[in-house]
């Protein structure tokens, strides 16, 4: 090999590495092609157990309209949240009913209500604060269940294969918004019942300039040693 | 050169490039070392012209306590914001008075007040919405001046030299929070009157899990062709 050959090889190596950086594969972990993910803003809402639904409304929940995740729906019923510092009226209830009631609010809401809600994955409510729920005809005190929902992506096994990720992995997602940012530690949830959608809360939405139709791009996995994230 | 030498050189090149990526120099633009930047949450507040201060309080603004930026202070006076959809009481006023009054709120506040406030740099208020300000003794209607303050970093010329950035450049900043993220397009403001501090608004703070004492790291410049950001 002469010097020119060596220089050519070096130039090719550099070009390839820089290209990987420029095209979002800097983590050297996400070797699969990615594509846009619809980003939905999850406003404050409540999931009710059947028992709590009956206590509040005298009957099971009723369907108002379908949500993006198959089988999930917005209910006709609305509920009042009563915290030690504040009250929020007309809060949405999502069906179907669950084993345990759960209240998903933002950190901003938590401050207004006076409830120190931690960031948790849906369903992980052990040790979280409670709150009082009220309707026109009933009142229910929850001992626990108030969380700030951790951002996450719902996807099918086919989508997971396409993105090169698995259930419960955490990824970094760039939001292409007016206030662009890269959200780290976004949990991937894989199920054949899920439709591709990323869910962020109202603070994340307002802080990023989210609008209807905004998309996200997975740019790498969280916490990889050569990655952008988790350093 | 024999093959082993070539392999060694290639290994060194790869190590250096990957190291640059891992240590936040992926933009190949920020060649300077970086360090942590204190991140402060800028809650909703008002700057008043001297004329508007006198109209509201019958006298110039009075000093309550110093803020982190030299010469800036929190005033004893508080003001009420009155929008078409809502009212916010007890809003902080920052001194000294300015040429024009300006109201800095979050997108969440904007929704509650019913004011379509755009994301703008401080002082850039042409064409922004107005609002009504009220005290116990006066009322002032602003024709314009309501903004959502764009995130920015105050720094001295010495800090700018240390970070390898210049006034009005935009950088990407990682926040080391409970909900970690990389904020893109963070404006750098350089002045010998400034003390090193990054300012984010309440939505960005709540959306990122900001707490007192949180720091940010500049990981690259926005929009560079080989960078992480602005792709």
């Amino acid at each position: 090999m002469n010097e020119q050959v060596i220089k050519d090889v070096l130039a090719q190596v550099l070009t390839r590495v820089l290209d990987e950086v420029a095209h979002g594969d800097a983590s050297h972990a996400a070797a699969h092609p990615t594509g846009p993910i619809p980003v939905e803003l999850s406003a404050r809402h409540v999931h009710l157990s059947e028992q709590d639904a009956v206590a509040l409304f005298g009957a099971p929940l009723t369907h108002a309209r379908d949500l993006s995740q198959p089988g999930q729906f917005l209910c006709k019923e609305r509920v009042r949240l009563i915290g030690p510092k504040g009250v929020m009226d007309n809060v949405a209830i999502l069906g179907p009913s669950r084993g345990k009631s759960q209240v998903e609010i933002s950190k901003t809401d938590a401050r207004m209500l006076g409830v120190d809600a931690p960031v948790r994955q849906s369903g992980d409510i052990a040790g979280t604060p409670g709150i009082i729920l009220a309707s026109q005809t009933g009142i229910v005190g929850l001992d626990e269940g108030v969380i700030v929902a951790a951002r996450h992506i719902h996807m099918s096994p086919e989508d997971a294969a396409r993105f090169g990720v698995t259930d419960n992995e955490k990824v970094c997602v760039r939001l292409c918004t007016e206030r662009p940012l890269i959200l780290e530690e976004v949990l991937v949830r894989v199920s054949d019942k899920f439709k591709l959608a990323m869910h962020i809360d109202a603070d994340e939405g307002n802080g990023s300039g989210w609008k209807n139709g905004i998309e996200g791009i997975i740019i790498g996995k969280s916490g990889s040693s050569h990655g952008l994230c988790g350093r």
Side-chain angles (χ1 to χ4, degrees), chain A residues 15-223:
Chain A
T15 301
R16 203 184 125 202
V17 174
L18 291 177
D19 198 56
E20 281 191 9
V21 172
H23 291 86
D25 195 22
S27 74
H28 294 273
H32 293 256
T34 64
I37 295 170
V39 180
E40 298 174 350
L41 191 147
S42 203
R44 76 181 73 98
H45 65 270
V46 173
H47 300 278
L48 291 179
S49 67
E50 197 166 315
Q51 184 185 339
D52 289 343
V54 170
L56 285 167
F57 304 107
L61 298 169
T62 52
H63 176 287
R65 69 173 170 79
D66 286 336
L67 298 172
S68 73
Q69 292 307 311
Q72 302 293 303
F73 57 89
L74 177 70
C75 301
K76 287 181 183 161
E77 295 81 8
R78 297 265 166 169
V79 76
R80 171 179 288 170
L81 303 182
I82 304 173
K85 276 197 188 168
V87 170
M88 289 188 155
D89 279 320
N90 207 35
V91 175
I93 301 172
L94 305 191
S97 56
R98 295 189 175 188
K100 283 187 174 183
S101 294
Q102 174 176 304
V103 177
E104 300 184 31
I105 57 177
S106 70
K107 286 278 183 192
T108 300
D109 295 340
R111 193 155 292 146
M112 290 178 68
L113 290 164
V115 177
D116 188 19
V119 178
R120 292 279 185 94
Q121 289 299 325
S122 183
D124 179 18
I125 61 170
T128 60
I131 201 163
I132 293 169
L133 306 178
S135 68
Q136 299 293 333
T137 55
I139 192 159
V140 164
L142 299 183
D143 290 333
E144 61 181 16
V146 183
I147 65 171
V148 176
R151 51 208 182 202
H152 56 274
I153 307 174
H154 295 277
M155 61 173 78
S156 67
E158 293 72 29
D159 288 323
R162 183 162 62 92
F163 288 115
V165 296
T166 55
D167 192 35
N168 280 320
E169 262 196 314
K170 288 183 174 176
V171 295
C172 301
V173 178
R174 179 166 197 268
L175 299 193
C176 314
T177 51
E178 184 189 7
R179 309 167 102 178
L181 41 69
I182 296 166
L183 298 173
E184 302 181 20
E185 299 189 11
V186 181
L187 193 80
V188 172
R189 303 305 311 267
V190 181
S191 164
D192 54 16
K193 290 183 192 128
F194 289 159
K195 191 182 154 190
L196 185 63
M198 175 165 167
H199 287 169
I200 60 175
D201 82 353
D203 289 335
E204 293 169 321
N206 287 322
S208 66
W210 177 91
K211 286 176 182 164
N212 236 321
I214 287 292
E215 295 180 322
I217 303 282
I218 295 178
I219 63 159
K221 300 193 183 187
S222 285

